[in-house]
Amino acid sequence: FMARHLANRGWQVDAQEPSAAFVERLRQLDPRLTVRPEPFLALGRERQYALIYADSVLEHVADPPPYFAHIARLLEPGGLLYFVAPNEY
């Protein structure tokens, strides 16, 4: 939803999705999205991002520090990390 919302507002959107079946579904759903199937930590630094949005993702990561370090490398100066985690309690 968020990827399409941003694309509708003119943003260039890269979406990372580990499920091969869902990668194809996303590509068919909205060809404006660049859907990246590789694992997050394997994403190269060929570009930096103004925004990294992670919804219900980081709470599933067994070792968070490498993920946050990689996010910091991928963000452009002044870039924003917006992450959502459920509060089940």
Side-chain angles (χ1 to χ4, degrees), residues 7-48:
N8 286 339
R9 280 149 185 77
W11 287 60
Q12 178 185 347
V13 177
D14 286 359
Q16 187 272 333
E17 173 55 51
S19 163
F22 202 55
V23 164
E24 286 310 311
R25 174 86 170 104
L26 286 171
R27 287 177 175 162
Q28 292 171 1
L29 185 65
D30 194 329
R32 297 173 299 173
L33 306 179
T34 301
V35 185
R36 313 275 306 259
E38 60 265 52
F40 180 75
L41 291 178
L43 293 175
R45 293 185 60 188
E46 59 272 2
R47 66 176 292 230
Q48 289 189 297

Side-chain angles (χ1 to χ4, degrees), residues 29-89:
L29 185 65
D30 194 329
R32 297 173 299 173
L33 306 179
T34 301
V35 185
R36 313 275 306 259
E38 60 265 52
F40 180 75
L41 291 178
L43 293 175
R45 293 185 60 188
E46 59 272 2
R47 66 176 292 230
Q48 289 189 297
Y49 299 91
L51 170 68
I52 294 178
Y53 175 83
D55 189 342
S56 300
V57 173
L58 296 172
E59 70 271 14
H60 299 284
V61 174
D63 187 20
Y67 279 77
F68 283 100
H70 194 59
I71 288 167
R73 287 188 295 272
L74 292 174
L75 284 171
E76 65 186 30
L80 178 68
L81 165 62
Y82 185 95
F83 74 93
V84 179
N87 180 0
E88 296 184 14
Y89 303 101

